[in-house]
Amino acid sequence: MTATRDSYQASDITVLEGLEAVRRRPGMYIGSTGPRGLHHLVWEVVDNSVDEAMAGVCDKITVTLLADGGVEVVDNGRGIPVGRHDKTRQSALTTVLTTLHAGGKFEQGAYTVSGGLHGVGVSVVNALSTRLEAEVRRDGFIWNQEFERGKPKTKEPAKGRPVKKTGTTIRFWPDPEIFAETVEFDFDVIASRLRETAFLTRGLEITLRDERRDPVVEEVFHYKGGLVDFVNHLNTKREPLHPHIIDISEVGEDAELDLAMQWTSTYNEVVLSFANNINTHEGGTHEEGFRKALTKAINDFARAKNLLKEKDENLTGEDVREGLTAVVSVRVREPQFEGQTKTKLGNTEIRSFVERALNRRLPEWLERYSPEARRIVEKSISAARAREAARKARELTRRKSGLESGGLPDKLADCSSRDPGESELFIVEGKSAAGPAKAARDSATQAILPIRGKILNVEKARLAKALQNTEVQDIITAMGTGIGDDFDITKARYHKVILLADADVDGAHIRTLLLTLFFRHMRPLIEAGFVYIAQPPLYRVKVGSKVHYLKDDAELAEFQKEHPKAKPTRFKGLGEMNAAELRETTMDPETRVLIQVQMEDAARAEEVFSTLMGDDVASRKTFIQENAGDIRFLDI
Ligand code: 0RA
């Protein structure tokens, strides 16, 4: 059945125009139309179901990747309301699915995910799908409505058979006209995100099914321990320094705090923070309150137990957090998200809320488990000593070489521009490539920093040790930002740092080492979107007089379908390309392809880096086999 012409209201027209706008400029609503934007559709629907769970009216969500490429999300919440909406004079279900920003969250004061950052609403998913089916179980009946590219196929939801249970089922099929690159969902990406959501919503059972595979694959995420289970999970490949995971919860007037943490024998700090289940990569007031209270509590305890003497300086925040794995989660009634990627919590009252809560609860914990607390303090003290020793060593070399800070590395071929916005730094691996890269660059805006051989694996070293590595030093000096707690993005000399390595296994290794350095010690560079991976081609093919460059085996196979006789030559390394080729394929902003390194999911990135760069050889091998040649995992 279709809507009769005279039943169309003015409001219907605006609605369709609204969804047309989403189809015309999808990037404005979901960030991109690449794999990341595609997965956004799933988060958008799931977040609505999670809101029901946070409201305490839903405890099961099932996400199914359908064999025909669609996705189904089922929850046992209250069901999207189906009654007539006063203003639009249609069913609320129709309104929620066809009106921009009509999340339909009529209730005030609830903690919601979908009202916040991603809150573009399910209508955006509807607009960007060839087909969407909604099934609501509510008010004693099943209600169904179908849509095509956002437009309802019937004016009203159809009332079906009676049911007792309540809930919502949304099925959608992403539109390949919009998602031209791919409409294929990645099981692992969805699994990590759902696992994270389950950790954050204690007791919520989330099932993920993949019906595209035979036999069907199914994983269930259900954590009775909440954040404690999360910390345990993050530390599976690390060695805990003490047995008890610190577990603190506080309920305030306008906010709630949950915190779990444990130190490990590693040197890196893993602090994940969330506000209303949204991963706040850029930190914010909840993290500030946490850090301040933590540094104070450890110093106070160390002094009280005479582990720090009067003459000793205070331990710094960095010392205290060495080896720490922590998850800080707050729920805020009206979260304000700020920052480049809107993932920084801005509510000022949350800083003091978290700080006050922890000023009370941390000393209690440290007293109660004082043998464990002593081990934590000892680790902080040894971090402080290493920091001090490294500082002295650095000053000594600086004095010896007469090199004062502020000098640039000798190896850097800098650009002439002093405007970071237009300046690019190519970090180039391999002796043979640096020459052509220097010849190929536009010296006004492109700088080249050659690095030699394998740089230090910072995953296994302390920051202090990393700073003694020349390649690491050169990168930091060239960037101008400093590192760790002293990092200052406003001092970045380039707003694009482009990693340029061979398209082979060694190149991939170097790239991962460099990414580990950025991820561990200069993370704001990644968060600001300043880090890129160059994509030099793997093949050159000549057809007649025209030369084609192909980036990988998949592109070659595609090309050979059309040109079966073409004979490709494979570049063994960057050094085999001449300057003109390197410029055209890899460096010229007009013709090159860069991959921007992005970090949607810090927990997943954490897993990737600790697996790839850590000590556990067996799991590293499996990981590399499962992700062979794929750098996309960093890209989502
Ligand atoms: C609008 C209002 C209410 C719930 C929902 C929408 C809702 C949306 C989705 C999307 C997927 N699952 C969902 N479950 C619920 C509040 C309903 C009430 O007050 O009864």
Side-chain angles (χ1 to χ4, degrees):
M1 221 183 69
T2 50
T4 55
R5 182 180 292 243
D6 60 358
S7 69
Y8 257 89
Q9 307 287 328
S11 57
D12 296 330
I13 294 161
T14 2
V15 164
L16 296 182
E17 276 174 358
L19 292 195
E20 235 354 274
V22 177
R23 289 184 59 83
R24 263 199 310 274
R25 309 192 61 188
M28 292 243 313
Y29 299 87
I30 52 163
S32 82
T33 54
R36 194 178 160 127
L38 176 77
H39 288 79
H40 228 107
L41 303 182
V42 182
W43 318 149
E44 196 57 54
V45 178
V46 171
D47 282 353
N48 279 278
S49 302
V50 173
D51 280 351
E52 291 290 284
M54 293 209 293
V57 292
C58 161
D59 63 2
K60 279 195 180 59
I61 301 176
T62 302
V63 178
T64 306
L65 307 177
L66 303 169
D68 65 2
V71 180
E72 178 188 82
V73 180
V74 184
D75 69 50
N76 63 352
R78 289 167 293 192
I80 303 178
V82 287
R84 221 169 239 290
H85 201 272
D86 284 346
K87 214 166 108 198
T88 58
R89 298 208 243 150
Q90 57 183 3
S91 164
L93 174 63
T94 319
T95 309
V96 165
L97 283 162
T98 56
T99 316
L100 274 181
H101 302 293
K105 292 293 144 68
F106 315 122
E107 70 242 87
Q108 286 270 307
Y111 299 126
T112 57
V113 193
S114 56
L117 173 73
H118 305 296
V120 289
V122 251
S123 61
V124 168
V125 179
N126 194 13
L128 302 178
S129 299
T130 49
R131 191 150 70 95
L132 184 143
E133 300 172 1
E135 180 185 301
V136 170
R137 298 165 291 283
R138 195 181 161 110
D139 304 340
F141 291 92
I142 291 192
W143 308 82
N144 285 94
Q145 193 168 22
E146 290 184 26
F147 303 81
E148 277 176 5
R149 295 197 162 93
K151 299 190 173 100
K153 290 177 74 178
T154 54
K155 194 167 162 18
E156 296 286 338
K159 185 174 176 179
R161 64 181 169 83
V163 273
K164 291 224 170 61
K165 295 192 173 143
T166 62
T168 304
T169 299
I170 301 281
R171 263 175 241 113
F172 66 92
W173 289 263
D175 189 345
E177 279 176 22
I178 303 283
F179 302 96
E181 193 182 328
T182 178
V183 285
E184 198 178 324
F185 291 99
D186 183 325
F187 183 88
D188 292 337
V189 168
I190 296 177
S192 340
R193 171 76 176 231
L194 296 181
R195 183 186 295 112
E196 183 174 296
T197 304
F199 282 134
L200 291 165
T201 323
R202 191 202 307 251
L204 171 62
E205 182 183 306
I206 308 183
T207 304
L208 173 60
R209 285 170 59 78
D210 193 346
E211 293 185 350
R212 302 168 305 179
R213 296 218 280 190
D214 187 16
V216 169
V217 178
E218 192 175 292
E219 270 197 70
V220 180
F221 309 111
H222 186 198
Y223 302 104
K224 299 195 175 86
L227 297 191
V228 169
D229 290 348
F230 200 167
V231 166
N232 230 333
H233 172 78
L234 289 166
N235 282 348
T236 37
K237 296 198 188 78
R238 302 167 213 264
E239 185 196 356
L241 192 71
H242 57 101
H244 291 95
I245 294 180
I246 302 170
D247 178 18
I248 292 173
S249 292
E250 282 273 313
V251 179
E253 290 264 309
D254 291 303
E256 293 177 13
L257 164 71
D258 286 294
L259 162 74
M261 64 180 174
Q262 183 181 40
W263 276 262
T264 68
S265 62
T266 66
Y267 301 121
N268 45 54
E269 167 190 336
V270 181
V271 175
L272 300 182
S273 70
F274 299 84
N276 295 17
N277 277 17
I278 289 158
N279 193 165
T280 36
H281 299 293
E282 296 173 280
T285 50
H286 52 340
E287 267 195 40
E288 287 162 21
F290 162 69
R291 282 171 211 270
K292 189 151 174 232
L294 181 65
T295 310
K296 176 173 159 50
I298 300 288
N299 273 295
D300 287 354
F301 181 86
R303 296 226 181 256
K305 303 292 172 210
N306 228 359
L307 300 168
L308 272 186
K309 306 281 183 274
E310 254 169 59
K311 63 174 174 40
D312 290 332
E313 278 187 29
N314 262 357
L315 300 160
T316 67
E318 249 177 37
D319 298 336
V320 163
R321 295 191 306 272
E322 184 183 278
L324 174 68
T325 301
V327 182
V328 183
S329 168
V330 293
R331 299 192 194 288
V332 183
R333 241 171 266 285
E334 281 180 33
Q336 290 150 21
F337 292 102
E338 304 170 347
Q340 290 255 356
T341 53
K342 292 267 175 278
T343 56
K344 180 173 183 179
L345 185 68
N347 304 57
T348 49
E349 73 281 8
I350 299 300
R351 188 186 299 111
S352 56
F353 167 67
V354 173
E355 197 182 332
R356 267 184 287 121
L358 295 183
N359 279 345
R360 204 154 36 79
R361 304 287 301 275
L362 285 175
E364 276 170 24
W365 192 94
L366 296 170
E367 272 309 321
R368 174 155 177 222
Y369 296 97
S370 78
E372 296 185 44
R374 282 170 184 269
R375 302 192 60 177
I376 294 165
V377 171
E378 278 159 21
K379 176 151 174 90
S380 307
I381 291 176
S382 86
R385 291 212 182 101
R387 176 172 51 81
E388 192 50 26
R391 189 184 60 78
K392 286 199 179 124
R394 255 201 325 278
E395 279 190 354
L396 210 65
T397 42
R398 229 181 250 146
R399 247 177 275 136
K400 259 195 231 147
S401 62
L403 192 91
E404 283 307 313
S405 61
L408 290 169
D410 292 340
K411 285 186 287 176
L412 176 73
D414 207 3
C415 55
S416 51
S417 169
R418 284 291 161 265
D419 173 5
E422 63 169 17
S423 302
E424 305 181 340
L425 175 67
F426 283 83
I427 301 180
V428 183
E429 180 261 328
K431 273 192 274 267
S432 50
K438 277 182 203 164
R441 71 180 176 140
D442 171 356
S443 64
T445 57
Q446 298 184 318
I448 308 288
L449 180 68
I451 54 162
R452 216 141 281 166
K454 301 276 152 90
I455 76 156
L456 180 80
N457 180 356
V458 297
E459 186 68 23
K460 292 190 199 162
R462 239 178 196 145
L463 176 60
K465 171 116 180 283
L467 286 171
Q468 287 169 358
N469 179 272
T470 352
E471 316 296 329
V472 173
Q473 271 174 19
D474 284 352
I475 292 169
I476 298 164
T477 322
M479 278 313 298
T481 51
I483 196 163
D485 272 2
D486 299 326
F487 184 92
D488 182 356
I489 196 141
T490 63
K491 296 207 177 115
R493 301 180 61 249
Y494 314 91
H495 286 183
K496 281 202 173 81
V497 190
I498 302 167
L499 312 185
L500 177 54
D502 287 339
D504 59 10
V505 179
D506 281 345
H509 189 208
I510 304 272
R511 196 164 52 222
T512 318
L513 287 165
L514 287 168
L515 285 171
T516 312
L517 172 68
F518 289 123
F519 178 73
R520 287 285 175 226
H521 301 301
M522 304 166 93
R523 194 171 302 176
L525 277 186
I526 299 184
E527 282 158 358
F530 288 180
V531 184
Y532 295 82
I533 295 167
Q535 284 221 290
L538 204 51
Y539 297 100
R540 169 178 40 202
V541 204
K542 219 171 155 183
V543 179
S545 62
K546 199 165 177 338
V547 182
H548 301 260
Y549 299 97
L550 306 168
K551 91 168 183 266
D552 53 23
D553 290 312
E555 251 186 31
L556 177 65
E558 200 56 37
F559 188 84
Q560 284 179 325
K561 274 192 210 155
E562 274 173 50
H563 308 276
K565 289 213 181 67
K567 285 224 164 40
T569 49
R570 192 187 157 106
F571 293 113
K572 287 202 197 68
L574 290 167
E576 284 190 7
M577 266 184 256
N578 62 37
E581 279 176 326
L582 191 61
R583 178 184 305 123
E584 182 188 340
T585 61
T586 315
M587 295 181 70
D588 182 351
E590 298 293 321
T591 49
R592 71 186 179 196
V593 180
L594 295 183
I595 297 176
Q596 187 177 41
V597 178
Q598 293 174 329
M599 211 177 47
E600 171 97 332
D601 187 336
R604 182 166 159 76
E606 195 49 63
E607 205 177 320
V608 169
F609 282 107
S610 53
T611 311
L612 265 182
M613 310 313 285
D615 285 323
D616 183 348
V617 180
S619 56
R620 171 160 63 228
K621 279 204 174 132
T622 326
F623 186 91
I624 291 174
Q625 278 157 8
E626 283 174 2
N627 296 277
D630 186 7
I631 47 171
R632 263 281 154 66
F633 63 83
L634 290 166
D635 193 37
I636 273 202

